């Protein structure tokens, strides 16, 4: 792992400490501060979508690690349907848990303060931080990548699909928790003159015109410039509230067996200990999913917040790929090419996707515990893999097995690839991470590595 990434995360313990202080000062009876409670209500509100049928939690379900909860979809395309029937995005939902701890997106050329000299500074930067698989929720707007990310789905036509930020603000302010929004953000936060007369907090607010426009995919709420500015400010506060909830103990729980072990409350099994050893060594996992630095360090996040192209195959069942057969996911490059200062680096980052946290990767999956209510989970940005075991097997044998195409097998799903002992070609061939692909793990070692990752799921310790 690059030493300057490690240093960039030195602020992480401070983040935990500040969160704890805020919680002690303002916590309500449920252990959430008022802004976190507000964010929770917004996060689970299905009315904040054009058909009033989809919330943030619809794609980020806490019971399955704050990601997609639909077993049937995960077993195939991996991309969840939006509020409007038959509308799909192009990527599976990442976990929203622990995403609030990502740093603001930045380019890292190395740092002279850490001993790098001019000769060792990189010519191409390493990009770190941000949210979404491609990093486009940078944190540059609201000072928090999780808050920048929270504004995206509400207005995305293939997700919650509301046509105007004013629709989100109106439904929050006029909803059951509008008074809490006022409490958190001040009594004037919802004082907006909506288009027609009626009942409401502001002067001249009413439902008719707003509801009509917010039920149309091309609706636009007619507001004065002053009220549009108020809406924009309130929309930022909606996002910051969601980010506060995502940063709370309800989301960033740190209650896994890993955390219990750090507290002296859980002993690893022999298989888990072997998996930990492989994770830190032969498996190369800790190069990107690094753990704690020892006693007293902040709890491990199992990500360095960087980007990598692992050679993941194209998912032929992804609805967007089915509709656009020539499309290949550019990943980070798709964002960088639209940033003037970074566009020159797009080609060297083609195909790279965000390194996710491994926390909760197995939560809710039948791989973890074959009980009623468990689901198939999808992995990687496009949902190609359906188990941690197959992910590990791919990491281990990507460069060892023959290409499915060489066997005359095209558009192979994971099931077909495993049945034929082959792997399809990478979705993006450029910039592939060559640290993996031929790890030389035995099946016993693969299983041990999976066992270690399964104990990263929250819920073992009581919530605190």
């Amino acid at each position: 792992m690059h030493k300057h990434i490690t240093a960039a995360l030195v602020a992480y313990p401070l983040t935990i400490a500040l969160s704890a202080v805020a919680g002690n000062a303002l916590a309500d009876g449920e252990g959430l501060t008022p802004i976190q409670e507000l964010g929770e209500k917004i996060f689970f509100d299905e009315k904040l979508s054009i058909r009033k049928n989809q919330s943030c939690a619809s794609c980020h379900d806490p019971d399955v690690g704050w990601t997609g909860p639909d077993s049937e979809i995960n077993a195939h395309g991996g991309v969840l349907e939006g509020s409007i029937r038959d509308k799909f995005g192009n990527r599976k939902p990442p976990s929203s848990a622990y995403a609030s701890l990502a740093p603001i997106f930045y380019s890292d050329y190395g740092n002279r303060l850490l001993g790098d000299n001019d000769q060792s500074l990189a010519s191409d930067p390493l990009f770190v931080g941000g949210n979404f698989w491609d990093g486009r929720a940078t944190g540059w707007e609201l000072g928090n990548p999780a808050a920048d990310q929270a504004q995206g789905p509400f207005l995305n036509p293939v997700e919650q699909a509301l046509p105007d930020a004013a629709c989100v603000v109106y439904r929050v302010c006029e909803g059951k928790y509008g008074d809490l929004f006022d409490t958190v953000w001040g009594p004037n936060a919802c004082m907006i003159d909506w288009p027609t007369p009626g009942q409401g907090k502001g002067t001249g607010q009413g439902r008719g015109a707003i509801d009509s426009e917010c039920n149309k995919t091309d609706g636009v709420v007619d507001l004065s410039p002053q009220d549009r500015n108020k809406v924009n400010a309130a929309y930022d506060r909606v996002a910051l509230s969601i980010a506060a909830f995502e940063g709370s103990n309800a989301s960033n729980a740190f209650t896994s067996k890993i955390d219990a072990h750090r507290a002296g409350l859980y002993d690893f099994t022999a298989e888990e200990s072997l998996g930990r050893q492989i994770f830190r060594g032969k498996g190369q996992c800790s190069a990107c999913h690094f753990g704690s630095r020892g006693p007293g360090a902040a709890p491990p996040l199992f990500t360095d917040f960087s980007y990598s192209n692992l050679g993941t195959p194209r998912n032929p069942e992804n609805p967007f790929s089915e509709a656009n057969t020539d499309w290949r996911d550019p990943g980070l490059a798709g964002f960088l090419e639209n940033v003037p200062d970074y566009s020159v680096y797009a080609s060297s980052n083609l195909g790279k996707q965000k390194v996710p946290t491994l926390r909760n990767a197995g939560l809710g999956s039948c791989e973890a515990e074959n009980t009623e209510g468990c689901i198939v989970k999808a992995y990687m940005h496009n949902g190609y893999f359906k188990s941690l075991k197959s992910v590990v097997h791919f990491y281990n044998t990507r460069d060892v097995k023959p290409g499915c195409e060489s066997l005359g097998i095209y558009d192979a799903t994971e099931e077909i690839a495993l049945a034929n002992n082959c792997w399809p070609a990478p979705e993006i061939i450029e910039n592939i991470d060559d640290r993996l692909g031929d790890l030389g793990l035995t099946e016993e070692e693969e299983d041990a590595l999976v066992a270690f990752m399964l104990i990263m799921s929250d819920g073992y310790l009581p919530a605190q």
Side-chain angles (χ1 to χ4, degrees):
M1 185 182 66
H2 299 273
K3 62 183 178 182
H4 39 280
I5 295 184
T6 305
L9 299 177
V10 191
Y12 166 46
L14 180 60
T15 303
I16 298 292
L18 291 176
S19 298
V21 170
N24 290 336
L26 298 173
D28 64 15
E30 297 180 350
L32 297 180
T33 67
I35 189 173
Q36 291 168 349
E37 182 185 356
L38 173 62
E40 179 184 38
K41 292 181 182 301
I42 297 171
F43 191 90
F44 287 94
D45 190 351
E46 292 186 347
K47 292 186 174 68
L48 302 181
S49 60
I50 194 167
R51 301 289 184 256
K52 299 183 179 180
N53 61 347
Q54 187 176 64
S55 68
C56 303
S58 298
C59 296
H60 302 283
D61 190 315
D63 291 337
V64 295
W66 303 87
T67 186
D70 192 308
S71 192
E72 179 65 20
I73 287 176
N74 290 341
H76 297 285
V79 180
L80 297 179
E81 190 174 41
S83 179
I84 299 174
R85 186 179 176 87
D86 294 329
K87 292 284 189 180
F88 294 88
N90 54 20
R91 300 180 179 119
K92 72 166 284 290
S95 174
S96 61
Y98 303 99
S100 62
L101 295 171
I104 293 174
F105 187 88
Y106 69 97
S107 55
D108 192 338
Y109 293 85
N111 192 325
R112 291 178 179 84
L113 296 178
L114 297 175
D116 291 342
N117 55 41
D118 289 341
Q119 289 72 36
S120 66
L121 294 179
S123 57
D124 279 5
L126 183 72
F127 290 99
V128 182
N131 275 333
F132 286 125
W133 286 107
D134 61 4
R136 69 186 186 277
T138 58
W140 296 342
E141 296 297 322
L142 298 176
N144 184 328
D148 281 11
Q149 184 278 330
Q151 291 190 327
F154 291 125
L155 306 182
N156 189 327
V158 296
E159 295 187 69
Q160 286 161 275
L162 285 169
D164 190 324
C167 301
V168 181
V169 173
Y170 178 79
R171 292 182 182 183
V172 167
C173 287
E174 297 300 307
K176 293 181 179 180
Y177 49 88
D179 290 342
L180 180 58
F181 195 86
D182 286 345
T183 297
V184 170
W185 293 108
N188 295 323
C190 287
M191 294 293 286
I192 299 166
D193 286 334
W194 302 110
T196 58
Q199 302 297 318
K201 291 186 179 69
T203 58
Q205 291 182 340
R207 295 185 178 278
I210 289 285
D211 286 339
S212 175
E213 291 301 315
C214 293
N215 289 330
K216 299 187 295 187
T217 57
D218 60 350
V220 177
V221 179
D222 185 17
L223 296 169
S224 69
Q226 294 82 359
D227 284 309
R228 177 56 66 178
N229 288 337
K230 292 179 183 178
V231 161
N232 292 340
Y235 192 54
D236 289 348
R237 290 164 175 169
V238 166
L240 289 166
S241 301
I242 294 172
F245 170 66
E246 290 179 341
S248 73
N249 290 342
S251 176
N252 299 348
F254 296 102
T255 57
S256 71
K257 290 180 178 178
I258 293 284
D259 302 296
H261 177 79
R262 286 167 52 83
L265 301 174
Y266 178 78
D267 291 328
F268 294 137
T269 66
E271 185 179 41
E272 291 161 0
S273 293
L274 175 61
R276 183 193 195 194
Q277 178 183 344
I278 296 165
F279 188 92
R280 292 177 165 183
K282 188 176 178 181
Q284 299 284 339
C285 308
S286 60
C288 295
H289 301 282
F290 73 93
S292 72
R293 304 183 66 187
L301 294 178
F302 298 109
T303 176
D304 64 3
F305 300 107
S306 67
Y307 296 80
S308 183
N309 179 8
L310 304 173
T312 303
R314 175 178 175 271
N315 185 352
E317 296 184 302
N318 182 311
F320 193 87
S321 294
E322 287 182 316
N324 303 272
T325 55
D326 293 331
W327 181 79
R328 298 294 183 272
D329 192 333
L332 177 61
F335 164 59
L336 295 181
E337 65 185 9
N338 294 308
V339 181
D341 289 345
Y342 291 155
S343 59
V344 67
Y345 305 118
S347 62
S348 59
N349 288 278
L350 185 64
K352 293 185 179 181
Q353 305 284 346
K354 181 80 175 289
V355 174
T357 177
L358 295 181
R359 283 184 172 269
N360 295 322
L363 184 63
S365 74
C366 295
E367 187 177 19
E369 188 173 357
N370 193 7
T371 60
E372 184 178 354
C374 66
I375 69 165
V376 174
K377 294 186 74 170
Y379 296 93
M380 303 305 194
H381 66 283
N382 59 13
Y384 182 83
F385 297 105
K386 312 305 178 186
S387 69
L388 288 172
K389 170 67 173 179
S390 62
V391 171
V392 169
H393 188 57
F394 175 76
Y395 279 29
N396 187 27
T397 62
R398 182 195 67 193
D399 301 340
V400 177
K401 291 187 178 186
C404 295
E405 293 81 3
S406 70
L407 303 178
I409 303 170
Y410 298 91
D411 289 332
T413 63
E414 179 213 59
E415 181 180 12
I416 292 173
L418 291 173
N420 289 275
N421 201 33
C422 63
W423 289 121
E427 182 174 20
I428 297 290
I429 194 68
E430 293 86 353
N431 308 312
I432 290 179
D433 192 329
D434 60 6
R435 291 173 294 184
L436 55 95
D438 184 7
L439 299 178
L441 303 180
T442 66
E443 185 166 2
E444 178 188 15
E445 289 173 327
E446 286 187 0
D447 291 340
L449 194 48
V450 171
F452 180 63
M453 288 191 285
L454 289 177
I455 63 172
M456 296 177 185
S457 295
D458 288 327
Y460 179 75
L461 293 171
Q464 300 179 31

